[in-house]
Amino acid sequence: MIEYELHLIRATELRRRAEHERLVREALRQRRAARRAPAARRRAGRESPSDTGHPGRHRHPRTA
């Protein structure tokens, strides 16, 4: 009978630990999303995703 009770205790502890880890992952996702939201709003206002507002890498054509 003791083995069964120990099994139940371990199973309950595993469930608690899994729930805690899920909550931690969800909190991290929300934090990341909150950090990325302002940048996403700035990007949404542009006409195309490639329009960064910065000049291109090569300003002058390459010489032969």
Side-chain angles (χ1 to χ4, degrees), residues 26-45:
E26 181 64 27
L28 287 173
R29 268 190 222 113
Q30 289 175 355
R31 250 188 257 157
R32 243 183 261 133
R35 222 178 20 235
R36 292 176 180 166
R41 270 184 259 135
R42 281 193 306 267
R43 281 193 305 268

Side-chain angles (χ1 to χ4, degrees), residues 5-56:
E5 291 172 2
L6 287 175
H7 166 74
L8 290 178
I9 290 170
R10 288 184 190 122
T12 304
E13 179 60 29
L14 281 174
R15 284 189 198 103
R16 280 190 202 125
R17 191 179 303 170
E19 178 63 24
H20 175 72
E21 289 175 6
R22 275 192 293 273
L23 289 172
V24 168
R25 281 195 307 268
E26 181 64 27
L28 287 173
R29 268 190 222 113
Q30 289 175 355
R31 250 188 257 157
R32 243 183 261 133
R35 222 178 20 235
R36 292 176 180 166
R41 270 184 259 135
R42 281 193 306 267
R43 281 193 305 268
R46 296 197 182 115
E47 293 176 10
S48 68
S50 63
D51 181 17
T52 61
H54 299 290

